[in-house]
Amino acid sequence: MPQLPSRRGMLFGTAAVGAGVFLAGCTSNESSADDEPATNEQPAASDTPGKPVTIGFAGPQADHGWLNAINENAKNRAGTYEDVTLEITEGSNDTAAQIGQIETLINKKVDVLVILPADGKALTQVGLKAMRAGIPVVNLDRIFNSPQAYRCWIGGDNYGMGLNAGHYIGERLKDKQNAKVIELAGVDALELTRQRTQGFDDALKNYPNIEKVARQAADFTVESGQAKMAQMLQAQSQFDALWNHDDDQGVGALRAIEQAGRDDFLMVGGAGALSAFQAIKQDNGVLKATVLYPPTMAASAIDLARALGQGKGVGGMAEFEIPASVTLYSAVVDKTNVDQYMPTGFK
């Protein structure tokens, strides 16, 4: 179970890898105690107990390590607040079932909803229904089709994942002539997979000595990762680097690599699984780094929902309201910083 960072520095201190929306404040070195004080103090949410808030949480079935970590982060964060009651659903990958679960939360008249939809497009209407009922929605990660269906969106940066993976590999191979890379993607039917690939390809354009010679799409599972990786290893007798979109399917990919007896390339993973962190720290295999897609976003979503329910803003920002969107940063974790991120790794 991931250990959550401290609530200190609410909200953005909770998103351990950094959020894309920050207050860029500046002060003058010539300011003094005689300067006119600010007349407006924003009501920022804090650790101090305030107005009780009931938060409804609805996500897909936790059939993946990352999704299970999302649920755990949400429950753990809510449990740290005396003024928060969390109503959490069982979760379902069936859109009709998830819509029914959310409608139940609407009928219970929860104060705020946090929704990670199994399918953003399919669940847009129920998000709209909640908003029209006066229940603000924090849309977590997979985005609804309409901004009218949520008050705030918080999620990862899929394009940024690919971009940072590509730059990391590019810097490692920039002095190698005719370098070759391959890509083990996720599910091509998902927009997030296409965004990750686009970011990766855009980064590689900065390194004319590098060519992507192969790509296979897997299904975010250990079994698919192993099968697709085995196919690529058989087809590609020589390459210099692999980017794998997902650390869960990466477990299978590493099995295929070990079975093939290959160690002539470097591998970069994706998402931030504990097993990936441990392998990076041991540094005795091909896996040298992973690019984060942090499940701590669920903890931050609870913070945002609590602030919404209490009619407050967030610490570190001057505005009276929470932001409309928060995009998390996809940090690269390698052996130089893996100890810092180890507590956030998901199983």
Side-chain angles (χ1 to χ4, degrees):
M1 181 182 301
Q3 176 182 341
L4 296 181
S6 166
R7 291 199 306 266
R8 184 176 299 169
M10 166 88 185
L11 154 78
F12 295 111
T14 67
V17 296
V21 183
F22 283 93
L23 175 64
C26 44
T27 59
S28 167
N29 291 331
E30 299 178 357
S31 62
S32 71
D34 295 330
D35 289 343
E36 182 178 349
T39 56
N40 293 321
E41 292 290 337
Q42 75 270 27
S46 68
D47 291 353
T48 304
K51 173 186 174 183
V53 179
T54 299
I55 300 172
F57 183 91
Q61 182 180 347
D63 55 1
H64 181 282
W66 186 86
L67 287 171
N68 183 65
I70 282 284
N71 289 344
E72 292 302 314
N73 272 269
K75 287 188 288 188
N76 290 348
R77 178 66 87 198
T80 64
Y81 291 120
E82 295 179 16
D83 50 22
V84 169
T85 299
L86 188 68
E87 293 274 355
I88 191 166
T89 67
E90 291 184 9
S92 176
N93 291 328
D94 180 85
T95 55
Q98 193 180 21
I99 288 170
Q101 291 169 351
I102 295 168
E103 288 179 336
T104 297
L105 292 172
I106 293 173
N107 292 334
K108 287 184 175 181
K109 295 181 168 49
V110 296
D111 297 306
V112 189
L113 274 168
V114 176
I115 303 174
L116 198 167
D119 183 318
K121 180 180 179 180
L123 269 77
T124 297
Q125 289 301 315
V126 78
L128 287 167
K129 182 176 181 179
M131 291 288 287
R132 289 167 181 161
I135 301 174
V137 174
V138 177
N139 181 193
L140 181 57
D141 198 42
R142 300 173 188 170
I143 195 166
F144 293 133
N145 269 15
S146 170
Q148 297 184 71
Y150 58 89
R151 165 57 182 83
C152 174
W153 174 85
I154 178 170
D157 185 357
N158 288 292
Y159 178 85
M161 279 187 76
L163 196 69
N164 290 346
H167 280 306
Y168 182 85
I169 288 173
E171 287 301 303
R172 293 287 296 264
L173 300 179
K174 64 182 180 181
D175 296 325
K176 183 177 180 60
Q177 292 185 351
N178 302 317
K180 299 177 181 179
V181 302
I182 64 174
E183 179 183 7
L184 185 63
V187 181
D188 271 341
L190 298 177
E191 177 65 19
L192 66 89
T193 298
R194 296 190 289 270
Q195 291 171 347
R196 293 179 186 185
T197 291
Q198 186 63 58
F200 188 60
D201 290 346
D202 286 351
L204 293 182
K205 291 175 184 176
N206 294 287
Y207 305 94
N209 63 308
I210 299 176
E211 178 186 5
K212 187 169 77 171
V213 296
R215 180 186 185 276
Q216 282 273 14
D219 296 315
F220 291 144
T221 68
V222 173
E223 294 76 18
S224 63
Q226 184 171 354
K228 296 296 185 179
M229 191 69 234
Q231 292 175 18
M232 280 204 290
L233 289 169
Q234 188 172 15
Q236 303 296 325
S237 60
Q238 188 278 323
F239 57 90
D240 302 289
L242 156 70
W243 181 43
N244 162 56
H245 286 206
D246 176 73
D247 287 332
D248 269 12
Q249 70 183 25
V251 172
L254 286 168
R255 286 179 186 170
I257 292 166
E258 183 178 359
Q259 288 172 359
R262 296 283 293 271
D263 60 1
D264 54 327
F265 58 89
L266 69 94
M267 174 179 172
V268 175
L274 180 61
S275 62
F277 290 161
Q278 291 169 338
I280 291 166
K281 184 176 177 66
Q282 292 169 3
D283 195 23
N284 57 5
V286 297
L287 184 60
K288 301 301 182 185
T290 190
V291 187
L292 295 188
Y293 199 81
T296 50
M297 66 178 71
S300 294
I302 295 298
D303 290 340
L304 288 164
R306 176 175 177 259
L308 268 174
Q310 294 179 343
K312 296 181 178 180
V314 295
M317 297 191 72
E319 288 70 29
F320 287 93
E321 302 85 11
I322 70 167
S325 64
V326 180
T327 303
L328 304 184
Y329 182 67
S330 294
V332 176
V333 177
D334 62 10
K335 65 180 179 181
T336 67
N337 61 355
V338 67
D339 287 336
Q340 175 186 351
Y341 291 97
M342 192 72 74
T344 70
F346 60 87
K347 297 180 180 179

